[in-house]
Amino acid sequence: MTPEEQKLLRQAKSNLENIGLIMSGVNYVGDKLESTINYLPKTAQSKVSKIAQNVLLKVMKTNLLTMHKDKPFKKPKSSIYKTSVTASGIGLGFLGFVGFSADLLFTTKMMMRSILDIARSKGEDIHTTETQLECLTIFALGGTSKEDDSLETSYYAIRMGLRTAIDASSKYITENGLKTAINKLATSAPIMQLITKITTRFKITALEKFAAEGIPIAGAIGAGTLNLVFMNHFQKMADAHFTIKQLERKYGEEQVKMHYKAIIEE
């Protein structure tokens, strides 16, 4: 591995482990929000979790419907996506639970598009089913709660945990055809298993967002700012993940994993 590639891997590792001052600020707020989340009725928490799951399903369906469109490559438009979700948060953040649902869907779609752009910039073929599913799993990387395990160990552990679900979902779509698979997303056992695994971690983001918009602290941060923070966070996760995948295509997963662990142990 060249010095430049080692530098890229080191930066990817840093992004996965160190979520930055802004995200740390949200985690600080998250510590305060945790009690608020705990005080939310279980029915409300369940609804937010269900909304997060439905959002991921809708995003998957949208992407699968359009993945055959082979558009010319363009560099990731990170700033455009950030502006869009900030505006969405500001516009829908005052509408309570209904606004939250619409904002989460729009923001997640924009984050997914940005993730796809980043994946493509790293040499991934985003028009394949497997890459589409791989992009969706970014929402399971680098959680935003202090409940997360050490990111040093969780990155490859999460990938391993999702690998079987990705393969099973990809096989289901291939065997049943894209049109049939899209129509049966919510009733497909392999796909719902994958969505459930991702939702388990993504719902932390959704709950923090929902709780923040319902208490005074949101006046300081704002729904738009939260959206910007989450967009920046998942863009960093995507860049790190697909940088590692790019290196793995050249050197093999085990070789890159060994270098990754060696960096951590220094």
Side-chain angles (χ1 to χ4, degrees), residues 85-149:
V85 299
T86 301
S88 173
I90 293 172
L92 296 171
F94 301 102
L95 301 179
F97 197 72
V98 175
F100 164 78
S101 302
D103 183 33
L104 184 64
L105 176 58
F106 178 80
T107 300
T108 306
K109 282 185 176 181
M110 290 297 101
M111 288 193 292
M112 184 63 177
R113 289 184 185 180
S114 184
I115 290 168
L116 286 164
D117 273 356
I118 291 169
R120 183 168 52 180
S121 75
K122 299 295 182 180
E124 299 286 339
D125 181 1
I126 65 172
H127 303 292
T128 66
T129 301
E130 185 173 351
T131 300
Q132 290 277 334
L133 299 177
E134 189 83 35
C135 286
L136 195 68
T137 63
I138 294 300
F139 294 113
L141 294 178
T144 62
S145 167
K146 69 180 184 180
E147 294 177 2
D148 283 324
D149 297 327

Side-chain angles (χ1 to χ4, degrees), residues 82-220:
K82 289 176 181 177
T83 301
S84 297
V85 299
T86 301
S88 173
I90 293 172
L92 296 171
F94 301 102
L95 301 179
F97 197 72
V98 175
F100 164 78
S101 302
D103 183 33
L104 184 64
L105 176 58
F106 178 80
T107 300
T108 306
K109 282 185 176 181
M110 290 297 101
M111 288 193 292
M112 184 63 177
R113 289 184 185 180
S114 184
I115 290 168
L116 286 164
D117 273 356
I118 291 169
R120 183 168 52 180
S121 75
K122 299 295 182 180
E124 299 286 339
D125 181 1
I126 65 172
H127 303 292
T128 66
T129 301
E130 185 173 351
T131 300
Q132 290 277 334
L133 299 177
E134 189 83 35
C135 286
L136 195 68
T137 63
I138 294 300
F139 294 113
L141 294 178
T144 62
S145 167
K146 69 180 184 180
E147 294 177 2
D148 283 324
D149 297 327
S150 167
L151 293 178
E152 173 265 310
T153 57
S154 70
Y155 171 65
Y156 276 104
I158 292 170
R159 279 185 60 179
M160 184 179 298
L162 292 170
R163 184 70 263 162
T164 300
I166 291 175
D167 290 344
S169 296
S170 183
K171 181 180 179 182
Y172 174 84
I173 293 171
T174 300
E175 291 180 347
N176 291 274
L178 187 58
K179 184 176 180 180
T180 300
I182 289 173
N183 290 332
K184 295 183 177 181
L185 284 183
T187 58
S188 162
I191 290 175
M192 287 310 300
Q193 182 183 32
L194 176 61
I195 291 293
T196 299
K197 284 178 177 290
I198 298 171
T199 302
T200 298
R201 294 176 67 86
F202 184 59
K203 71 178 181 183
I204 298 171
T205 298
L207 280 168
E208 286 189 347
K209 179 174 170 57
F210 178 73
E213 292 178 5
I215 60 176
I217 209 165

Side-chain angles (χ1 to χ4, degrees), residues 5-35:
E5 289 169 333
Q6 291 180 21
K7 182 179 179 180
L8 288 173
L9 183 59
R10 199 175 289 270
Q11 182 59 55
K13 166 253 183 182
S14 178
N15 283 345
L16 288 165
E17 293 181 19
N18 306 308
I19 54 183
L21 291 176
I22 294 179
M23 204 65 202
S24 296
V26 172
N27 280 344
Y28 173 74
V29 173
D31 291 341
K32 295 178 180 295
L33 292 178
E34 186 173 5
S35 59

Side-chain angles (χ1 to χ4, degrees), residues 215-236:
I215 60 176
I217 209 165
I221 299 178
T225 302
L226 276 175
N227 284 357
L228 177 61
V229 167
F230 289 137
M231 172 65 82
N232 182 65
H233 172 66
F234 285 116
Q235 284 176 339
K236 288 178 69 175

